[in-house]
Amino acid sequence: MNKEHRLAQLLVRSWPFPRGSGRIIDRFFRDLPFNEEIATVSTTDDFKMTVPPNDAVGRHIYLSGEFDRSIVQLLVAFSTPGDVLLDVGANLGYVTSCFLKRVPDSIAIAVEPQPIIVDLLRKNLAQFGDRQRVFPVALSNENGEAWFYVDLLNKGKSRLVPPKFAGAQRIEARATSEFLAELPLQRIDLFKIDVEGHEQKILESAKDWLRSMQPKVIVFEGNKGPTDSDGGPIGLLLKEIGYTVYGLRKRLLNLSLEPLATKNVNTYNDYVAVSKSRSIPPEARQAFGVDL
């Protein structure tokens, strides 16, 4: 365990189920103060990370040794040795690090625009040598000036906002289509997007590239609204370019992928688009109990 708040760590890490420990942290320890502004901590995945423990994501990693395990489980299940992950909104790099740690010979491209966070991201991924590359950029649907709001209590909730949004700062944004075209890679096998409501613009900009490159799976955070439904803009776009979209159902003991329909769109926090033309590992079929 890490040196501060050992009792809280013991309580969280003794939780017996694969999911749910994050809710304990958010309910009972969300305001727990740390003396260290930046701390290097041990994770439950046998690698170390440098995190800001007074920030929400850093606090989760410090206390529980993990973060966003459902997404990690899904990405690893869909992966085979040598696969390439594009992680847009990588934050501190926990998901990217788990992917590089657990998928042999894998490569990861991590995208994160926040200056302080991207410095920690670079440090956290450096342990994986030349199998990773970090891009300090905000992706959108066009090049130019953008406004970015940093949530000081939870930098994972920082986001692109409308012009002159109160407390936001001006940054440069890149069109996703151009960014992807310039990547020095022949393929992307897995595409994770966590950009706090900007997913649709990124996917629209990447549409032609996605149609051509066909990552096996696209994992994106939803806003529990009609844009994510089977008949909404994101669902229609992904169906048009050869994907089936599922909601990711998270239970204490297991995960499952559930077909989308308008009636159940408000149920999910995360969505998974699976390519109809790429080969899917048997492990993913078994793990998620669906004929992909």
Side-chain angles (χ1 to χ4, degrees), residues 164-279:
K164 299 182 180 180
F165 186 92
Q169 56 187 318
R170 285 184 290 186
I171 63 169
E172 291 297 318
R174 290 287 311 278
T176 309
S177 56
E178 293 187 15
F179 173 82
L180 293 171
E182 294 170 4
L183 283 180
L185 295 169
Q186 297 300 313
R187 72 179 200 277
I188 298 289
D189 300 292
L190 305 107
F191 189 6
K192 168 187 163 283
I193 313 172
D194 185 353
V195 290
E196 301 304 311
H198 210 68
E199 288 81 5
Q200 184 177 338
K201 289 187 177 181
I202 286 176
L203 289 168
E204 287 173 346
S205 181
K207 179 179 177 180
D208 292 338
W209 180 90
L210 291 169
R211 190 198 307 271
S212 173
M213 298 294 284
Q214 284 287 306
K216 283 185 287 189
V217 63
I218 303 168
V219 183
F220 60 99
E221 188 178 53
N223 58 18
K224 291 191 174 183
T227 58
D228 307 311
S229 71
D230 199 44
I234 292 179
L236 291 173
L237 182 154
L238 292 169
K239 287 168 63 176
E240 179 186 342
I241 60 176
Y243 287 84
T244 301
V245 185
Y246 301 89
L248 181 61
R249 174 73 70 188
K250 304 174 186 179
R251 298 180 177 89
L252 285 178
L253 295 176
N254 71 300
L255 298 175
S256 62
L257 297 181
E258 301 185 353
L260 286 188
T262 302
K263 65 181 181 181
N264 65 5
V265 65
N266 293 325
T267 306
Y268 309 102
N269 290 316
D270 298 287
Y271 298 85
V272 182
V274 181
S275 172
K276 297 178 182 179
S277 61
R278 292 286 301 270
S279 176

